[in-house]
Amino acid sequence: QVQLVESGGGLVQPGGSARLSCAGSGFTSDYYIIGWFRQAPGKEREGVSCISSSDDSSWYKGSVKDRFTISRDNAKNTVYLQMNGLKPEDTAVYYCAVAFRAGTIVDMPPAVAFTSWGEGTQVTVSS
């Protein structure tokens, strides 16, 4: 059974940093894409970043591209999202999800492609 568990959220001051972790288990393939999504109150879920296990290629939403960094620790089956320069508009519940597919990332796969999701972790950016 595939499981994803997010951690690392919390209250952060504007301009601060946080690192989210997504620990995966029960994966049925070595080829997968881990995506980070977020949903703010009253807004639709949006893709933030993703990374491919095939070649560590990645994608970022435009508004986070110069502030967030996604990385992968294969030995720990964990994907990280380092978030720097946080802004109040980054406040949301952050979810990680897995899509079992190989290849180089050129764009964020649609949410329907991700077959397993974590429970989410709250990130609140406020002074």
Side-chain angles (χ1 to χ4, degrees):
Q1 182 179 359
V2 175
Q3 286 191 317
L4 298 169
V5 179
E6 304 97 337
S7 60
L11 176 63
V12 184
Q13 290 193 341
S17 298
R19 189 178 79 158
L20 304 183
S21 300
C22 173
S25 62
F27 283 15
T28 55
S29 170
D30 289 335
Y31 299 104
Y32 56 86
I33 294 172
I34 295 290
W36 282 101
F37 295 79
R38 67 186 181 187
Q39 187 164 21
K43 295 188 177 181
E44 292 191 356
R45 180 178 56 191
E46 62 180 3
V48 176
S49 182
C50 61
I51 188 167
S52 171
S53 71
S54 299
D55 57 5
D56 283 335
S57 56
S58 60
W59 174 92
Y60 296 91
K61 176 180 170 63
S63 63
V64 310
K65 194 170 185 178
D66 296 327
R67 302 184 292 121
F68 291 10
T69 302
I70 193 169
S71 61
R72 192 172 68 89
D73 186 330
N74 193 43
K76 296 182 178 180
N77 272 358
T78 299
V79 169
Y80 303 98
L81 186 67
Q82 177 67 43
M83 306 185 295
N84 299 328
L86 283 162
K87 305 176 181 180
E89 51 263 43
D90 294 317
T91 295
V93 178
Y94 284 72
Y95 301 89
C96 67
V98 62
F100 289 103
R101 57 172 63 178
T104 298
I105 290 174
V106 293
D107 202 350
M108 183 78 165
V112 295
F114 292 85
T115 53
S116 294
W117 293 73
E119 296 292 318
T121 184
Q122 175 72 46
V123 174
T124 302
V125 185
S126 175
S127 55

